[in-house]
């Protein structure tokens, strides 16, 4: 008898019928003898709808009130799913984050889980009940409702699995696993049987939206066996694993991730003296703007150019900060471009293979795509290109690294 934590995302609980189908599925696991803790998202579109309502009241609603509002989406789903389970003679009980006591810090709208009280859940499981927990939410030390950031239900599920030492954390979604890249962009994209936590982390942070990044971090840190599966189709899904000896046998590149929502800012002609980088980036991070790639050129005439990228939503704010800072620093000019995209190849195999970058740049050159910025890590190479070439770049890299669905070999 296994203890399984299952998470169903917004589309999987998007209608009454789907919630009923989830209940049927959960019941089958129970009948197999498994203990099941279910984490659910809000019904699809609901969180966005709630955010839209908030925006009609205020441009910048207080984060505390945002959390009170958006956490209601999941509360609806837990109750409905429990009703559907009870209707199927499968005893179930719902819990909000506060009721479980998923303790978080007080960073409203992006809180981090600090502790989970598993007492109630264990008692219910022991009594033969399915436990249904609202994803995405917790409570801080002072009893304020908090939320974990968009996509946070994944993190709830992984954190619960870690706290309960579950045998597996299953993330049910509307795709049947993790793909080499987005199948909407590359027809031949393939489902991966396995991917390492590290690779998954890179894929998630680079814009593959299958799993929330914090969930992957959490799973890696606590070694939670994590599997991504389709909610309503049978199949093995993708297992996210720790790196093992077999990794050597794997392809050099596991996947190609991309992100359209990027913008680039450059301060030209800043004095090449100590402290300049922190003078430029300090006010940016003080404004809570996350900086991704950072690049500083070789100095010429004692001045240098400083470039970095941010999320496109932060572009206008970052630009006005830079304009202020650059006049203080007596820089020559500030330039920006918010029509850029980032494309990255990811694979632990890169550690043991040479020539990966050359192959990547060659493939892009072959399509006449200009590379604007490059950054690398041990298992990833990212380039920034003009947004209009994004699809072309992804497709050409997918085939250059032979990730396309293998053609069926005819037996003779
Ligand atoms: N409902 C939240 C969102 O849409 C959390 C989640 O679905 O994971 O972001
Ligand atoms: Mg989600």
């Amino acid at each position: 008898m296994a203890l399984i934590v299952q998470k169903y995302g917004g589309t999987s609980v998007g209608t009454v019928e789907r919630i009923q189908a989830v209940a049927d599925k959960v019941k089958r696991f129970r009948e197999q003898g498994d203990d099941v803790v279910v984490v659910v998202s809000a019904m699809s579109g609901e969180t966005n709808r709630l955010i839209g309502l908030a925006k009609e009241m205020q441009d910048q609603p207080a984060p505390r009130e945002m959390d009170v509002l958006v956490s209601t989406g999941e509360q609806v789903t837990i109750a409905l799913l429990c009703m559907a389970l009870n209707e199927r003679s499968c005893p179930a009980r719902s819990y909000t984050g506060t009721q479980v006591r998923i303790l978080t810090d007080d960073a409203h709208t992006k809180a981090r889980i600090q502790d989970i009280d598993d007492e109630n859940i264990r008692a219910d499981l022991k009594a033969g009940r399915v436990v249904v927990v609202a994803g995405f939410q917790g409570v801080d030390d002072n009893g304020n409702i908090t939320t974990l950031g968009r996509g946070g239900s994944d993190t709830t599920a992984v954190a619960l699995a870690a706290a309960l030492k579950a045998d597996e954390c299953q993330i049910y979604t509307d795709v049947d696993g993790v793909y080499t890249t987005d199948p909407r962009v590359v027809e031949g994209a393939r489902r991966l049987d396995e991917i390492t936590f590290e690779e998954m982390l890179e894929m998630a942070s680079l814009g593959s939206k299958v799993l929330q990044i914090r969930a992957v971090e959490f799973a890696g840190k606590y070694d939670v066996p994590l599997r991504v599966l389709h909610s309503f189709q049978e199949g093995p899904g993708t297992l996210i694993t720790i790196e093992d000896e077999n990794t050597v046998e794997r392809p050099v590149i596991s996947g190609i991730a991309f992100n359209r929502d990027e913008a680039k800012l450059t301060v030209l002609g800043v004095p090449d003296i100590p402290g300049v980088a922190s003078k430029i980036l300090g006010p940016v991070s003080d404004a809570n703007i996350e900086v991704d790639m950072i690049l500083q050129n070789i100095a010429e005439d004692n001045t240098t150019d400083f470039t970095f990228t941010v999320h496109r939503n932060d572009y206008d704010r970052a630009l006005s900060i830079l304009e202020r800072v650059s006049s203080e620093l007596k820089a020559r000019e500030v330039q920006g471009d918010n029509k850029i995209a980032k494309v990255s190849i990811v694979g632990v195999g890169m550690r043991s293979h040479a020539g990966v970058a050359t192959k990547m740049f060659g493939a892009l050159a072959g399509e006449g795509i200009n590379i604007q910025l490059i950054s690398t890590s041990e298992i990833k190479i990212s380039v920034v290109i003009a947004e209009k070439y994004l699809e072309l770049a992804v497709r050409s890299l997918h085939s250059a690294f032979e990730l396309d669905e293998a053609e069926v070999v005819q037996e003779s």
Side-chain angles (χ1 to χ4, degrees):
M1 196 172 83
L3 169 54
I4 304 170
V5 175
Q6 301 186 329
K7 180 254 170 177
Y8 293 91
T11 46
S12 310
V13 293
T15 62
V16 164
E17 291 73 25
R18 288 198 175 168
I19 294 174
Q20 289 165 334
V22 167
D24 288 333
K25 185 166 179 122
V26 171
K27 188 180 180 187
R28 286 199 292 276
F29 278 90
R30 281 295 297 142
E31 283 168 352
Q32 246 169 247
D34 295 328
D35 280 339
V36 189
V37 175
V38 184
V39 174
V40 282
S41 290
M43 295 170 77
S44 60
E46 179 62 6
T47 308
N48 288 339
R49 188 185 74 86
L50 293 168
I51 292 171
L53 287 176
K55 296 271 146 132
E56 286 189 43
M57 297 301 146
Q58 245 187 330
D59 254 356
Q60 306 267 339
R64 182 188 182 278
E65 304 313 325
M66 274 313 271
D67 281 350
V68 172
L69 179 71
V70 296
S71 61
T72 61
E74 275 71 12
Q75 190 168 337
V76 170
T77 337
I78 54 171
L80 292 177
L81 179 58
C82 282
M83 291 171 195
L85 284 163
N86 289 329
E87 174 67 18
R88 284 160 180 72
S89 309
C90 184
R93 206 168 201 193
S94 69
Y95 286 89
T96 64
T98 309
Q99 288 174 315
V100 174
R101 201 138 191 276
I102 297 180
L103 184 71
T104 71
D105 60 19
D106 60 4
H108 283 290
T109 74
K110 45 176 181 288
R112 282 182 182 266
I113 296 176
Q114 293 177 329
D115 191 34
I116 292 182
D117 187 350
D118 61 3
E119 209 176 306
N120 291 329
I121 297 179
R122 289 209 187 270
D124 276 316
L125 292 176
K126 214 166 169 196
R129 295 190 195 100
V130 172
V131 177
V132 181
V133 178
F136 178 52
Q137 55 179 265
V139 63
D140 74 6
D141 253 336
N142 296 312
N144 297 300
I145 296 173
T146 56
T147 62
L148 309 178
R150 297 307 306 268
S153 299
D154 294 342
T155 302
T156 306
V158 173
L160 276 169
L164 295 165
K165 298 188 177 59
D167 294 293
E168 192 163 276
C169 181
Q170 302 174 338
I171 307 285
Y172 287 96
T173 179
D174 51 358
V175 292
D176 64 350
V178 179
Y179 275 66
T180 49
T181 196
D182 187 339
R184 284 168 302 189
V185 172
V186 180
E187 223 183 283
R190 228 171 358 95
R191 181 184 58 78
L192 296 160
D193 287 326
E194 285 186 18
I195 185 169
T196 68
F197 283 117
E198 272 180 294
E199 289 170 326
M200 193 59 219
L201 211 52
E202 293 287 3
M203 297 285 278
S205 70
L206 294 167
S208 295
K209 300 197 177 60
V210 190
L211 280 173
Q212 199 206 28
I213 181 156
R214 279 190 190 171
V216 185
E217 276 169 9
F218 215 105
K221 191 164 159 199
Y222 295 97
D223 205 359
V224 176
L226 189 61
R227 194 183 287 277
V228 175
L229 307 115
H230 196 287
S231 302
F232 305 119
Q233 288 169 16
E234 291 302 313
T238 299
L239 183 66
I240 300 158
T241 61
I242 50 173
E243 194 177 345
D244 54 22
E245 319 80 61
N246 296 339
T247 312
V248 190
E249 307 290 317
R250 291 192 187 159
V252 182
I253 300 303
S254 291
I256 297 168
F258 55 86
N259 200 345
R260 278 175 218 284
D261 307 322
E262 302 255 333
K264 179 176 82 168
L265 297 116
T266 302
V267 195
L268 293 160
V270 283
D272 187 31
I273 50 170
V276 167
S278 84
K279 281 206 181 96
I280 294 174
L281 291 180
V284 175
S285 68
D286 288 346
N288 247 318
I289 297 174
E290 235 175 88
V291 171
D292 180 19
M293 290 186 184
I294 304 173
L295 194 112
Q296 187 189 303
N297 276 344
I298 291 174
E300 236 179 278
D301 328 319
N302 299 319
T303 68
T304 182
D305 303 337
F306 193 90
T307 301
F308 61 91
T309 62
V310 297
H311 192 280
R312 202 172 283 173
N313 290 343
D314 293 326
Y315 176 68
D316 290 338
R317 280 201 304 143
L319 198 59
S320 64
I321 291 170
L322 278 199
E323 265 147 15
R324 202 188 66 224
V325 174
S326 77
S327 68
E328 280 165 25
L329 284 173
K330 303 203 169 22
R332 196 168 66 240
E333 197 190 337
V334 176
Q335 286 180 353
D337 182 354
N338 62 358
K339 299 246 170 354
I340 58 160
K342 183 165 76 170
V343 182
S344 312
I345 55 175
V346 175
V348 290
M350 247 182 243
R351 290 198 180 112
S352 48
H353 286 82
V356 179
T358 313
K359 190 167 181 177
M360 179 187 199
F361 303 155
L364 296 172
E367 301 290 350
I369 299 171
N370 188 40
I371 299 172
Q372 302 181 10
L373 294 173
I374 300 169
S375 85
T376 63
S377 79
E378 226 190 329
I379 65 161
K380 169 197 80 171
I381 304 171
S382 303
V383 297
V384 164
I385 58 172
E387 187 190 0
K388 63 180 174 192
Y389 295 127
L390 179 63
E391 273 90 359
L392 180 61
V394 174
R395 273 186 218 119
S396 70
L397 292 171
H398 201 268
S399 67
F401 286 98
E402 292 161 24
L403 294 173
D404 294 300
E405 191 98 61
E407 276 169 43
V408 181
V409 181
Q410 297 282 327
E411 282 187 35
S412 52

